[in-house]
Structures are given as structure tokens and as C-alpha cells.
Amino acid sequence: MKHIRNFCIIAHIDHGKSTLADRLLEYTNTIAGKDLQNQVLDDMDLERERGITIKSHAIQMEYQYNDEKYILNLIDTPGHVDFSYEVSRSIAACEGALLIVDASQGIQAQTISNLYMAIENDLEIIPVVNKVDLDSAMPEEVEDQIIELLGCRRDEIIRASGKTGIGIEEVLNAIVERVPAPQGDVNAPLQCLIFDSVFNPFRGIIAYFKICNGTIRKGEMVKFVATGKEYDADEIGVLKLDMVPRNSLSAGDVGYIISGIKTSKEVKVGDTITHVQRPCDQAIDGFEEVKPMVFAGVYPIDTEDFENLRASLEKLQLNDASLTFQPESSAALGFGFRCGFLGLLHMEIVQERLDREFDMDVITTVPNVSYMVYDKKGNKSEVHNPSGLPDITMIDHIEEPYIRASVITATEYIGPIMSLCLGKRGELIKQEYISGNRVELIYDMPLGEIVIDFYDKLKSISKGYASFDYHIHDYRESKLIKLDILLNGESVDALSTLTHVDNAVTFGRRMCEKLKELIPRQQFDIAIQAAIGAKIIARETIKAVRKDVTAKCYGGDISRKRKLLEKQKKGKKRMKQIGTVEVPQKAFLAVLKLD
């Protein structure tokens, strides 16, 4: 056990985690020849297309140091704020962390929030300045920032380059020397912590675990504590590029277990595995429950696919524990699910994965957050979507969630960022200079304002140099109203939103204009209206596609033309009564990109 080292790689997005992981795997000869490709651990098509890590990936390496063989279990983690739950679970399975900072960009928001997560779990931190081979690298300044943040010595910081392979040997030596070996008793009752799982159509559910105490052997009867279910350990093993079966694993090891579990409800991330014969006294503390930031309804396009969608979401939740969902129904869209996501990118990725991996066509409604509604009798209820709002005469007041947001940026972008935050009803709490020309702005803002397009705007006005991190702070009373979109007088459930009084008119107007572009023309006029209660605040009309019925009249009395036009008018009126307007899927998504 003293030759095992479990560590993860944490950093802000695009600071070179996956590339550095490639070099470590190459240097230890874990992968070679045809397996060698860029970002080798990002095995999902989506990850390779977008160039981001979505899932954390575990892999085992072997390394010779001072004529002794060490086993290094590496977990490469995502950097984007929307996948921070992946990072928190990876950290729980490790004793050390490589903190990677880009030599040309310095410390950014996710660097700090991931670092705090690692420190809370008492991990040994090894700071690495990556990309030192770039012309724009400023290793001295970045090292100063790290020393200020961590309080470490300058000689503890390793300079490396994931692209050229500089400093890779030093990183591996530092892992062996500085990261403590896992603690645990090989002879104690078995305790394994599940930190991830995947669904395999042929083998059932595969759970990834870290053994805290005890030893597990192939074929033994094991029990999952949270669900109380018992299984045979059909196959256990370690994770290399593929899964490698072993006969036994003991304390400190990271591995996988296949026991033919078919239903996804029976495996929970954060659960403890123990022996049936000799169970452990108590379960390991799991992970804190995930807090969804953005809620949206997900409905199958064909209502008969409801059960298939449920099965797909359950399988996806195995692999992505930060996705939460519960059934709901809508007047316009039938049965579907109300899903909670950690952010807009997360929502986009889930929708894309449903399409690619499970072949599910879905409609996503406008994202919103949960509100606290107090009625006149003093009762409190939580409302997730506008259709669940009680009658306006019954409501005393509504409270909306506020977040404490931290934006780290260069000083030249302070002006535009402040005006963006104030436009989103933000309140500046404090502003402090971290080092040189870097400043941290702390705002209190309504979560509902940042849900739709805040992050994208922030990136564009700061040319990508502002980093953003946030957590739920409290609920505050706000003047919120329900904005309905009507098509020919019929309310479209999926497009209604709760919005602040000040924004309602402009938002309604922009929605109507956008829908006018996206809804195809029909044989009759379509009126698109935005309404607050019974009051119409904006209207656009999509003109009918018409045939020129008077074309055959050349000359003659005007009454002949009039008669034909009246006849057409009657037909159009009858059509309008029985015609329905289909709202295309892209209209639902267009709301997110109103600007």
C-alpha cells in the first residue's frame, strides 16, 4: 500500500490538464503506439469536438523511482464551472492534487474554487506552472501569484509544458515524494466509496470505487449500503486505458466492479460497498447533494416516448450524477421531466448526449430557477415553472434566489463588466486587487438574470479573460411577474417565463420579434402577443401566404373583385379557427440567444 499514490489534476478551463495527462501517460509507457493521440482520456465524441473535458477519467500508471515500482492512480478532471461536481467527487477519491496554472494567463476563478475544494479535503497540493514554452509565458509573475495564494516556497513550484514534455519527470517524482500513501487497514471490514458509474448495455452497470479499508476478491458477495441490495462481484479490476481484471484489490486501490446490476436506481454515487458476511460499522460520508442552478422542462417530441426518455435520463444520470430530474406535465407538451442542470453548458451537453447516445428527440423549455411564493395566508411554496404559479390575486409576495458571484478579470475590463452586472440587477459587494493588474469583483445578483446569457456576454466583453464562479447566497423579495406568449390567443406553455417588472416589456418585445422570424408562414394570419395577465404589451403579426384571387379579373366592375376577396376572406377566417400553429424546436432555443 505504501507504493500507491492517488492524485487528480485540477485547473481552470484550458490550462492544459488533459495535455499534461497525455505526457504523464506517455512518460510512464501506459499508452504507446497507436493508442497515442491528443487528449487520450477524453473518449467521448462530444469532448473531442468541443475540446473540453466533460467527465473525469481515472487511469492507472506504473512508475519506477529509486528502483522501486509505484502505482499512480491519476484522475483527470474538467475545468468548466458547470462540471465542478465531477471535480468534487474526484477529489474525494485522492490524497493529492496537481494544481495547474497556465503560465500566460495566471490564476483564474476556477483555479481558486477547485483549490479550496482540494484544501477542504486535506489534499497535498503540488503547484505546476504549465505552458512555459509559450512566447507569452510569464512564469515569474504566475509563480508570485501561486506563492501569494498557497503560501508555498518558490522551489516547490514545478515549471512544465504539456506540449513539449518539459518538467514531466519532476512532476512524477514530486507525486511520489510529496503525495501521502493512502491510509487504511487491509484486514478491516471492507469499505469502498463509489465515485462514478457507467452503464454498459452488455455488462449492466459498472461502478468505479476507491477502497478505504479491507480487501475485495472476485466472486465474493458484496452489499451496497444505501440501497441494501446484495450482489456477486462477478469481475473486479483496475482502470488502465481499458478495464484490466484482477483477482483481488485492497485498501488504497482504485478500481471497478461489475456485478450484473440492471436497474440504475440501485447504484448511487457516494454509496459504500461492503461485504455481506463481515459488514463495516458505518458507511463512508458520501458527497454533498448537488445543487442545480438552472431548471428546464425536457419533453419528448413524440408523447409515446415518455418511458424511453425516463430510461435514457436514468442511464445518463449514472454517468453524470449532477443531473437531477422529476416528472412533470404541461398543458401544451404533455408529459415530460423537469431537469436541474449546473449551468447552460451542462444543459446543452445533456441535450446533445440524449440525442447521440440514446437517440431521443426532445423539446427543452425556457430555462428558469425556483422561486419561493408566499400567499396571503402566509403559506410558502416552491415554484419551479411559471405554470405552477398560483392565481395572482392570492400571492402576497415572491422571493427569488440570489447568488454571490466572484468575477476575476484584468483591470481594463472593469468598466464594461460592472455595467453588465448592474444591468442584471447586481449589487457590488466589494472590489479588491489580487496582484498586479488583476482584480476580483464580488456581486450579489439574482440567479434568474444570469441563467440565460450572462456568462456568454461576460466572455465576449472581456475577450475571454474574465472568469466567473458563484454559489447560492439567499432568497430576496422581488417584483416578479409572469410573462405569457400567445399565438392566435392561445398561450404557449413552454415559452412563458417569470421575469422582473422592469425587464418585462423589452423582453416581451424581443421574444415576439424573434418568434416572428422563426415561425413559418401559414395560410392565415398568425398573431404573436406577449401578455402580462390580461394586458397585451407587445404584438407582431405573421402575414398569411395568399393567392391572388383577383388576377383573372381584368377590367370590369370593382364589385366583382370585392366579391372574390370577400369569399377568400371567409375561407381564411374558417382556416384560422381550425388551423394550429406548430412552434419549431429552434424557437424554444432562440429565447436563450435573444441578442
Short mmCIF file of all heavy atoms in Angstrom, two decimals, residues 22-63:
data_model
loop_
_atom_site.label_atom_id
_atom_site.label_comp_id
_atom_site.label_asym_id
_atom_site.label_seq_id
_atom_site.Cartn_x
_atom_site.Cartn_y
_atom_site.Cartn_z
N ASP A 22 -1.69 13.47 -20.88
CA ASP A 22 -1.15 12.70 -22.02
C ASP A 22 0.34 12.43 -21.83
O ASP A 22 0.83 11.32 -22.03
CB ASP A 22 -1.31 13.48 -23.34
CG ASP A 22 -2.75 13.53 -23.80
OD1 ASP A 22 -3.58 12.86 -23.17
OD2 ASP A 22 -3.04 14.24 -24.77
N ARG A 23 1.09 13.50 -21.45
CA ARG A 23 2.55 13.38 -21.30
C ARG A 23 2.90 12.42 -20.16
O ARG A 23 3.83 11.63 -20.27
CB ARG A 23 3.19 14.74 -21.02
CG ARG A 23 3.13 15.75 -22.15
CD ARG A 23 3.94 15.34 -23.40
NE ARG A 23 3.20 14.44 -24.28
CZ ARG A 23 2.21 14.83 -25.09
NH1 ARG A 23 1.86 16.09 -25.13
NH2 ARG A 23 1.59 13.95 -25.85
N LEU A 24 2.12 12.49 -19.06
CA LEU A 24 2.39 11.58 -17.93
C LEU A 24 2.19 10.13 -18.36
O LEU A 24 2.98 9.25 -18.03
CB LEU A 24 1.46 11.91 -16.74
CG LEU A 24 1.66 13.27 -16.05
CD1 LEU A 24 0.58 13.50 -15.02
CD2 LEU A 24 3.03 13.36 -15.39
N LEU A 25 1.11 9.90 -19.12
CA LEU A 25 0.81 8.53 -19.57
C LEU A 25 1.88 8.04 -20.55
O LEU A 25 2.26 6.87 -20.54
CB LEU A 25 -0.57 8.49 -20.23
CG LEU A 25 -1.76 8.78 -19.32
CD1 LEU A 25 -3.04 8.90 -20.12
CD2 LEU A 25 -1.91 7.71 -18.27
N GLU A 26 2.36 8.96 -21.38
CA GLU A 26 3.37 8.60 -22.38
C GLU A 26 4.70 8.30 -21.67
O GLU A 26 5.38 7.33 -21.98
CB GLU A 26 3.54 9.81 -23.31
CG GLU A 26 4.21 9.50 -24.62
CD GLU A 26 4.33 10.77 -25.46
OE1 GLU A 26 3.64 11.78 -25.20
OE2 GLU A 26 5.14 10.73 -26.38
N TYR A 27 5.04 9.15 -20.69
CA TYR A 27 6.33 9.01 -20.00
C TYR A 27 6.39 7.71 -19.21
O TYR A 27 7.44 7.09 -19.10
CB TYR A 27 6.53 10.22 -19.06
CG TYR A 27 7.95 10.35 -18.55
CD1 TYR A 27 8.91 11.05 -19.27
CD2 TYR A 27 8.33 9.75 -17.34
CE1 TYR A 27 10.20 11.16 -18.80
CE2 TYR A 27 9.63 9.86 -16.87
CZ TYR A 27 10.57 10.56 -17.61
OH TYR A 27 11.86 10.66 -17.15
N THR A 28 5.24 7.29 -18.65
CA THR A 28 5.24 6.05 -17.85
C THR A 28 4.93 4.83 -18.71
O THR A 28 4.66 3.75 -18.18
CB THR A 28 4.18 6.14 -16.73
OG1 THR A 28 2.91 6.46 -17.34
CG2 THR A 28 4.51 7.21 -15.72
N ASN A 29 4.91 5.03 -20.06
CA ASN A 29 4.61 3.94 -21.00
C ASN A 29 3.27 3.25 -20.75
O ASN A 29 3.11 2.07 -21.00
CB ASN A 29 5.72 2.86 -20.98
CG ASN A 29 7.03 3.43 -21.50
OD1 ASN A 29 7.02 4.27 -22.40
ND2 ASN A 29 8.14 3.01 -20.91
N THR A 30 2.31 4.00 -20.21
CA THR A 30 0.97 3.43 -20.01
C THR A 30 0.28 3.31 -21.36
O THR A 30 -0.47 2.37 -21.61
CB THR A 30 0.13 4.33 -19.08
OG1 THR A 30 0.90 4.58 -17.91
CG2 THR A 30 -1.18 3.68 -18.69
N ILE A 31 0.51 4.29 -22.22
CA ILE A 31 -0.02 4.20 -23.58
C ILE A 31 1.13 4.38 -24.54
O ILE A 31 2.08 5.12 -24.26
CB ILE A 31 -1.11 5.27 -23.88
CG1 ILE A 31 -0.63 6.65 -23.45
CG2 ILE A 31 -2.41 4.93 -23.23
CD1 ILE A 31 -1.52 7.76 -23.88
N ALA A 32 1.05 3.71 -25.68
CA ALA A 32 2.12 3.84 -26.67
C ALA A 32 1.55 3.50 -28.03
O ALA A 32 0.45 2.97 -28.14
CB ALA A 32 3.26 2.89 -26.31
N GLY A 33 2.32 3.82 -29.06
CA GLY A 33 1.96 3.42 -30.42
C GLY A 33 0.63 3.99 -30.88
O GLY A 33 0.38 5.17 -30.76
N LYS A 34 -0.24 3.09 -31.35
CA LYS A 34 -1.47 3.56 -32.00
C LYS A 34 -2.47 4.18 -31.02
O LYS A 34 -3.36 4.92 -31.42
CB LYS A 34 -2.13 2.42 -32.78
CG LYS A 34 -2.71 1.31 -31.92
CD LYS A 34 -3.34 0.27 -32.81
CE LYS A 34 -4.21 -0.75 -32.12
NZ LYS A 34 -3.80 -1.24 -30.83
N ASP A 35 -2.34 3.88 -29.72
CA ASP A 35 -3.26 4.47 -28.75
C ASP A 35 -2.96 5.94 -28.48
O ASP A 35 -3.77 6.66 -27.92
CB ASP A 35 -3.19 3.73 -27.41
CG ASP A 35 -3.76 2.32 -27.53
OD1 ASP A 35 -4.67 2.16 -28.37
OD2 ASP A 35 -3.30 1.42 -26.81
N LEU A 36 -1.75 6.36 -28.88
CA LEU A 36 -1.32 7.70 -28.52
C LEU A 36 -2.01 8.74 -29.41
O LEU A 36 -1.82 8.75 -30.62
CB LEU A 36 0.21 7.79 -28.69
CG LEU A 36 0.87 8.94 -27.97
CD1 LEU A 36 0.60 8.86 -26.49
CD2 LEU A 36 2.37 8.90 -28.20
N GLN A 37 -2.82 9.57 -28.82
CA GLN A 37 -3.46 10.67 -29.56
C GLN A 37 -3.62 11.82 -28.59
O GLN A 37 -3.45 11.64 -27.38
CB GLN A 37 -4.82 10.23 -30.12
CG GLN A 37 -5.72 9.65 -29.05
CD GLN A 37 -7.10 9.32 -29.58
OE1 GLN A 37 -7.48 9.79 -30.62
NE2 GLN A 37 -7.87 8.55 -28.84
N ASN A 38 -3.93 13.00 -29.11
CA ASN A 38 -4.09 14.14 -28.20
C ASN A 38 -5.32 13.95 -27.33
O ASN A 38 -6.34 13.46 -27.80
CB ASN A 38 -4.22 15.45 -28.99
CG ASN A 38 -2.89 15.84 -29.59
OD1 ASN A 38 -1.85 15.38 -29.13
ND2 ASN A 38 -2.91 16.68 -30.60
N GLN A 39 -5.23 14.42 -26.08
CA GLN A 39 -6.32 14.27 -25.10
C GLN A 39 -6.86 12.85 -25.11
O GLN A 39 -8.03 12.60 -25.33
CB GLN A 39 -7.48 15.26 -25.40
CG GLN A 39 -7.25 16.66 -24.89
CD GLN A 39 -6.46 17.51 -25.87
OE1 GLN A 39 -6.61 17.37 -27.06
NE2 GLN A 39 -5.61 18.37 -25.36
N VAL A 40 -5.98 11.91 -24.85
CA VAL A 40 -6.33 10.49 -24.98
C VAL A 40 -7.43 10.08 -23.99
O VAL A 40 -8.22 9.19 -24.26
CB VAL A 40 -5.06 9.61 -24.82
CG1 VAL A 40 -4.52 9.67 -23.40
CG2 VAL A 40 -5.35 8.18 -25.19
N LEU A 41 -7.52 10.79 -22.84
CA LEU A 41 -8.53 10.39 -21.85
C LEU A 41 -9.92 10.89 -22.20
O LEU A 41 -10.90 10.40 -21.68
CB LEU A 41 -8.14 10.92 -20.46
CG LEU A 41 -6.89 10.27 -19.85
CD1 LEU A 41 -6.57 10.89 -18.51
CD2 LEU A 41 -7.06 8.79 -19.70
N ASP A 42 -10.01 11.92 -23.07
CA ASP A 42 -11.34 12.42 -23.46
C ASP A 42 -11.91 11.48 -24.52
O ASP A 42 -11.68 11.66 -25.71
CB ASP A 42 -11.24 13.85 -24.02
CG ASP A 42 -10.82 14.84 -22.95
OD1 ASP A 42 -10.80 14.44 -21.78
OD2 ASP A 42 -10.52 15.99 -23.27
N ASP A 43 -12.65 10.47 -24.07
CA ASP A 43 -13.05 9.42 -25.02
C ASP A 43 -14.44 9.65 -25.61
O ASP A 43 -14.87 8.90 -26.46
CB ASP A 43 -12.99 8.04 -24.36
CG ASP A 43 -13.71 8.02 -23.02
OD1 ASP A 43 -14.41 9.02 -22.72
OD2 ASP A 43 -13.59 7.03 -22.29
N MET A 44 -15.13 10.69 -25.17
CA MET A 44 -16.47 10.96 -25.72
C MET A 44 -16.32 11.82 -26.97
O MET A 44 -15.50 12.74 -26.99
CB MET A 44 -17.25 11.74 -24.66
CG MET A 44 -18.71 11.44 -24.61
SD MET A 44 -19.52 12.57 -23.46
CE MET A 44 -18.89 12.04 -21.91
N ASP A 45 -17.11 11.54 -28.02
CA ASP A 45 -17.02 12.34 -29.26
C ASP A 45 -17.23 13.82 -28.97
O ASP A 45 -16.56 14.69 -29.55
CB ASP A 45 -18.09 11.89 -30.28
CG ASP A 45 -17.80 10.49 -30.78
OD1 ASP A 45 -16.65 10.04 -30.59
OD2 ASP A 45 -18.70 9.84 -31.33
N LEU A 46 -18.18 14.10 -28.08
CA LEU A 46 -18.50 15.50 -27.75
C LEU A 46 -17.28 16.22 -27.19
O LEU A 46 -17.05 17.39 -27.49
CB LEU A 46 -19.59 15.52 -26.68
CG LEU A 46 -21.01 15.80 -27.14
CD1 LEU A 46 -21.93 15.73 -25.94
CD2 LEU A 46 -21.09 17.18 -27.78
N GLU A 47 -16.52 15.50 -26.34
CA GLU A 47 -15.36 16.12 -25.71
C GLU A 47 -14.31 16.45 -26.76
O GLU A 47 -13.69 17.51 -26.73
CB GLU A 47 -14.75 15.16 -24.67
CG GLU A 47 -15.65 14.93 -23.48
CD GLU A 47 -15.04 13.97 -22.46
OE1 GLU A 47 -14.55 12.90 -22.84
OE2 GLU A 47 -15.06 14.30 -21.27
N ARG A 48 -14.14 15.55 -27.70
CA ARG A 48 -13.10 15.77 -28.71
C ARG A 48 -13.50 16.89 -29.67
O ARG A 48 -12.67 17.68 -30.10
CB ARG A 48 -12.82 14.49 -29.48
CG ARG A 48 -12.47 13.32 -28.57
CD ARG A 48 -11.80 12.20 -29.34
NE ARG A 48 -10.45 12.57 -29.71
CZ ARG A 48 -9.40 12.46 -28.91
NH1 ARG A 48 -9.55 11.98 -27.70
NH2 ARG A 48 -8.21 12.83 -29.30
N GLU A 49 -14.81 16.95 -30.00
CA GLU A 49 -15.27 18.01 -30.92
C GLU A 49 -15.12 19.39 -30.31
O GLU A 49 -14.71 20.34 -30.95
CB GLU A 49 -16.75 17.79 -31.26
CG GLU A 49 -16.96 16.72 -32.30
CD GLU A 49 -18.42 16.29 -32.38
OE1 GLU A 49 -19.30 17.10 -32.06
OE2 GLU A 49 -18.66 15.14 -32.75
N ARG A 50 -15.52 19.50 -29.04
CA ARG A 50 -15.52 20.82 -28.41
C ARG A 50 -14.19 21.16 -27.75
O ARG A 50 -13.98 22.29 -27.33
CB ARG A 50 -16.62 20.89 -27.34
CG ARG A 50 -18.00 20.92 -27.94
CD ARG A 50 -19.05 20.81 -26.86
NE ARG A 50 -20.39 20.86 -27.43
CZ ARG A 50 -21.25 21.84 -27.22
NH1 ARG A 50 -20.93 22.85 -26.47
NH2 ARG A 50 -22.44 21.81 -27.76
N GLY A 51 -13.32 20.14 -27.60
CA GLY A 51 -12.02 20.40 -26.98
C GLY A 51 -12.13 20.68 -25.49
O GLY A 51 -11.30 21.39 -24.92
N ILE A 52 -13.17 20.13 -24.84
CA ILE A 52 -13.29 20.33 -23.39
C ILE A 52 -13.42 18.96 -22.73
O ILE A 52 -13.78 17.99 -23.39
CB ILE A 52 -14.53 21.17 -23.01
CG1 ILE A 52 -15.81 20.55 -23.59
CG2 ILE A 52 -14.38 22.61 -23.44
CD1 ILE A 52 -17.09 21.25 -23.17
N THR A 53 -13.11 18.88 -21.44
CA THR A 53 -13.33 17.65 -20.69
C THR A 53 -14.69 17.78 -20.01
O THR A 53 -14.97 18.79 -19.39
CB THR A 53 -12.22 17.45 -19.64
OG1 THR A 53 -10.96 17.51 -20.31
CG2 THR A 53 -12.34 16.12 -18.95
N ILE A 54 -15.52 16.75 -20.18
CA ILE A 54 -16.86 16.77 -19.58
C ILE A 54 -16.90 15.82 -18.39
O ILE A 54 -17.48 16.11 -17.36
CB ILE A 54 -17.92 16.37 -20.64
CG1 ILE A 54 -17.96 17.43 -21.74
CG2 ILE A 54 -19.28 16.19 -20.02
CD1 ILE A 54 -18.76 17.02 -22.96
N LYS A 55 -16.28 14.65 -18.54
CA LYS A 55 -16.24 13.64 -17.47
C LYS A 55 -14.84 13.58 -16.89
O LYS A 55 -13.87 13.76 -17.61
CB LYS A 55 -16.53 12.26 -18.08
CG LYS A 55 -17.95 12.02 -18.48
CD LYS A 55 -18.85 11.83 -17.30
CE LYS A 55 -18.40 10.67 -16.41
NZ LYS A 55 -18.98 10.78 -15.06
N SER A 56 -14.76 13.26 -15.57
CA SER A 56 -13.41 12.99 -15.07
C SER A 56 -13.06 11.55 -15.44
O SER A 56 -13.93 10.69 -15.48
CB SER A 56 -13.33 13.21 -13.56
OG SER A 56 -14.48 12.75 -12.95
N HIS A 57 -11.78 11.32 -15.73
CA HIS A 57 -11.36 9.99 -16.19
C HIS A 57 -10.26 9.45 -15.29
O HIS A 57 -9.30 10.15 -15.02
CB HIS A 57 -10.82 10.07 -17.63
CG HIS A 57 -11.82 10.58 -18.60
ND1 HIS A 57 -12.70 9.77 -19.26
CD2 HIS A 57 -12.11 11.84 -19.00
CE1 HIS A 57 -13.49 10.51 -20.02
NE2 HIS A 57 -13.14 11.77 -19.88
N ALA A 58 -10.44 8.21 -14.83
CA ALA A 58 -9.43 7.60 -13.96
C ALA A 58 -8.57 6.65 -14.79
O ALA A 58 -9.08 5.95 -15.67
CB ALA A 58 -10.11 6.84 -12.83
N ILE A 59 -7.27 6.62 -14.52
CA ILE A 59 -6.38 5.69 -15.22
C ILE A 59 -5.19 5.37 -14.31
O ILE A 59 -4.77 6.22 -13.52
CB ILE A 59 -5.92 6.26 -16.59
CG1 ILE A 59 -5.22 5.20 -17.42
CG2 ILE A 59 -5.07 7.50 -16.42
CD1 ILE A 59 -5.10 5.54 -18.89
N GLN A 60 -4.70 4.12 -14.41
CA GLN A 60 -3.59 3.72 -13.55
C GLN A 60 -2.28 3.69 -14.33
O GLN A 60 -2.24 3.23 -15.46
CB GLN A 60 -3.88 2.32 -12.98
CG GLN A 60 -2.91 1.92 -11.90
CD GLN A 60 -3.27 0.57 -11.31
OE1 GLN A 60 -2.78 -0.46 -11.77
NE2 GLN A 60 -4.11 0.55 -10.30
N MET A 61 -1.21 4.22 -13.68
CA MET A 61 0.11 4.21 -14.32
C MET A 61 1.09 3.50 -13.38
O MET A 61 0.87 3.44 -12.17
CB MET A 61 0.63 5.63 -14.53
CG MET A 61 -0.34 6.56 -15.20
SD MET A 61 0.35 8.20 -15.45
CE MET A 61 0.25 8.91 -13.84
N GLU A 62 2.19 2.97 -13.96
CA GLU A 62 3.25 2.39 -13.14
C GLU A 62 4.52 3.19 -13.37
O GLU A 62 4.82 3.54 -14.51
CB GLU A 62 3.45 0.92 -13.51
CG GLU A 62 2.27 0.06 -13.07
CD GLU A 62 2.36 -1.37 -13.55
OE1 GLU A 62 3.38 -1.72 -14.18
OE2 GLU A 62 1.41 -2.13 -13.31
N TYR A 63 5.26 3.46 -12.29
CA TYR A 63 6.42 4.34 -12.41
C TYR A 63 7.56 3.81 -11.55
O TYR A 63 7.35 3.49 -10.38
CB TYR A 63 6.02 5.76 -11.99
CG TYR A 63 7.13 6.78 -12.08
CD1 TYR A 63 7.81 7.00 -13.28
CD2 TYR A 63 7.51 7.54 -10.97
CE1 TYR A 63 8.82 7.95 -13.36
CE2 TYR A 63 8.52 8.48 -11.04
CZ TYR A 63 9.18 8.68 -12.24
OH TYR A 63 10.18 9.61 -12.32
#
